[in-house]
Amino acid sequence: MENRIEEYTVGELAQAAGVTVRMLHHYDSLELLKPAFVTAKGYRIYRQPELLRLQEILFYRAANMPLNEIAELLGTGNRVERLTSHREKVAKALSEQAAIIATLDRTIAKLNGDDPMTIEDLYKPFPKEKQADYEAWLVATYGQDMAAEIARSRENLSAGKGDILNSQNEQLKGIEAELVTSYEAGCDPKLANLAAHQNWVAEMWGYPCTAAAYAKLAELYLAHPDFIARYETLSEGFSQWLAQAMTLWAERHK
Amino acid sequence: MENRIEEYTVGELAQAAGVTVRMLHHYDSLELLKPAFVTAKGYRIYRQPELLRLQEILFYRAANMPLNEIAELLGTGNRVERLTSHREKVAKALSEQAAIIATLDRTIAKLNGDDPMTIEDLYKPFPKEKQADYEAWLVATYGQDMAAEIARSRENLSAGKGDILNSQNEQLKGIEAELVTSYEAGCDPKLANLAAHQNWVAEMWGYPCTAAAYAKLAELYLAHPDFIARYETLSEGFSQWLAQAMTLWAERHK
DNA sequence: GATGGGGCCTGACCCAACGTGAGAGTCAAC
DNA sequence: GTTGACTCTCACGTTGGGTCAGGCCCCATC
């Protein structure tokens, strides 16, 4: 039963995992990742469980989690809890990035339009102080982008129809506002009523929006920074919630 | 007429920008952000240009750029160009993170037993450059016996999937193989012949694919991790080349 | 069995990007 | 003129490592 193949020295493990030997030493000294055992001469020997643990460490570390937090996390046995906690952090980082994109857009727009910003405007996304007139910004800056996105979708799927964008934009705003209300009330995405939204999409496209297409649209939302930025601005975490709700809705209505 | 309102002490600027006084001291000592002037008693006084510079610094710092690189960057080009290019980078990171969150959600759902989920679902939405990490993490999470299934799922993925896709899969494979050959032969994207591909797309859609729609499809490809993963497995760099070729083709045929 | 050339060990110091005081001067108000 | 908030300049602490330095250890080759 000699599985010498499954034993790694520091160097071997380092190479396998794409890290440095120094990092393994470091993690050892922090008690974050100890070798399976140490030889009589003091060589660290790692095995499969340590490799797996290292990979999980690297996964969390890739999300900028401090090592002590990772150690804590790995100590709490439940995998679902770990993932959930991790999800929260990534989601938070996502919202922050969305806010930064929003401010970048606003900054660039103002630089091009020569309208000086107030000091509060400049630093909106960085400190904890959020809120403010995102609504106004949404209409002013992203209204146009949104129209362009929709026009793009329509072109993709059915080239050229009339331009009734503005009235439909108004409609969308109402629909979205309702959904945001549901979201902020803690409504389960399974229970969201997306009939109005799906109808709106169908109207935009100029032909029926099937359940499958609607589900695809959810994917598209998540793949498109513009959409994420837009929805995150409406409410933190809303983009994820909406996409999930759309997917679930499509499943129930296919 | 001096506007005292537009002058800030360290503390004032720090509060406005949501940073600490220490950071401003630090940036000063690094020559990254110097005050507009220093009073006789040594107090740092900042004005509008410094405020703008700080904002830009914070944009880059939020993306984990080292301060020395930021200093370098600030010395080059103009502000709008820098910010525009930066916006794109952040946007890219954003959609990657969104894909990660979606995966985490599905993984959590599966672990909770909400919905049976295929390996393909797990694998699919991860950013390409992190696929190796993600696979490793999957192995760590689900155990060694998962490795084989992951390998199998990858084959499935590169073989194409989806109900609609399957029917016309053979055709597409032929078309793509030809394009990959062109790409690997170093063919200029301008000169790629995409007539067959565009026709295939039209067939898929069930109605004509206009040049504009085709160009937009290229954008969609680049925005969608699914497509990128698929084309990158065909040949490294192929997804970028194809998207460019499609854009150029659309331009020539509109 | 001797002799390399690796790989491994433990310190030890260095780095960025700040946090966190310490001790002292400054400002504005009451 | 005293108080309290603010500022200044050191200066050391922290995190996640990089980068030697000096000394063992292992194994292949002569």
Side-chain angles (χ1 to χ4, degrees), chain A residues 17 48 51-53 55-56 58-60 62 64 79-80 83-87 90-95 97-98 100-105 107-108 111-112 116-123 125-127 129 142 145 152 154-159 190 207 216 219-226 228-229 232 240 244 248 251, chain B residues 8 12-13 15-19 48 50-55 58-59 62-64 79-80 83-84 86-87 90-102 104-105 107-108 111-112 114-115 124 126 130 133-134 136-137 139-144 205 207-208 210 212-217 219-220 223-226:
Chain A
Q48 209 66 20
L51 173 59
L52 300 181
R53 187 180 167 95
Q55 280 159 346
E56 198 169 349
L58 293 179
F59 182 71
Y60 292 126
N64 286 323
R79 213 152 48 202
V80 175
L83 288 177
T84 305
S85 142
H86 186 56
R87 194 223 114 103
V90 178
K92 207 175 142 198
L94 184 90
S95 306
Q97 277 193 325
I100 286 174
I101 289 185
T103 304
L104 272 167
D105 284 337
T107 305
I108 293 167
L111 281 175
N112 288 332
M117 305 168 88
T118 68
I119 185 166
E120 294 86 10
D121 270 351
L122 277 167
Y123 298 105
F126 297 113
E129 57 180 50
Y142 254 88
D145 275 25
R152 173 187 308 178
R154 192 175 45 177
E155 260 185 311
N156 276 346
L157 298 161
S158 81
K190 270 199 274 286
Y207 60 85
K216 278 289 165 198
E219 277 183 47
L220 177 63
Y221 278 10
L222 287 183
H224 247 118
D226 281 344
I228 297 172
E232 283 301 307
Q240 298 293 328
Q244 207 182 339
L248 294 167
E251 225 160 273
Chain B
Y8 309 91
E12 285 161 2
L13 181 59
Q15 181 155 22
V19 301
Q48 206 71 16
E50 288 73 36
L51 196 132
L52 294 175
R53 189 176 168 97
L54 176 57
Q55 184 213 18
L58 293 179
F59 276 134
N64 288 321
R79 201 163 123 87
V80 176
L83 290 176
T84 304
H86 184 61
R87 194 218 117 107
V90 177
K92 211 174 136 194
L94 186 78
S95 55
E96 281 179 12
Q97 278 196 324
I100 290 173
I101 289 182
L104 283 170
D105 280 343
T107 307
I108 291 166
L111 289 175
N112 284 334
D114 285 355
D115 207 353
K124 193 171 63 174
F126 224 70
K130 281 174 188 153
D133 274 358
Y134 183 57
W137 172 76
V139 173
T141 305
Y142 293 108
Q144 189 59 33
W205 286 356
Y207 54 84
T210 67
Y214 196 56
K216 296 304 173 189
L217 188 62
E219 275 181 49
L220 177 62
H224 213 290
D226 258 354

Side-chain angles (χ1 to χ4, degrees), chain A residues 194-207:
Chain A
L194 291 170
H197 187 248
Q198 191 176 4
N199 282 337
W200 180 87
V201 172
E203 234 174 274
M204 271 321 277
W205 287 356
Y207 60 85

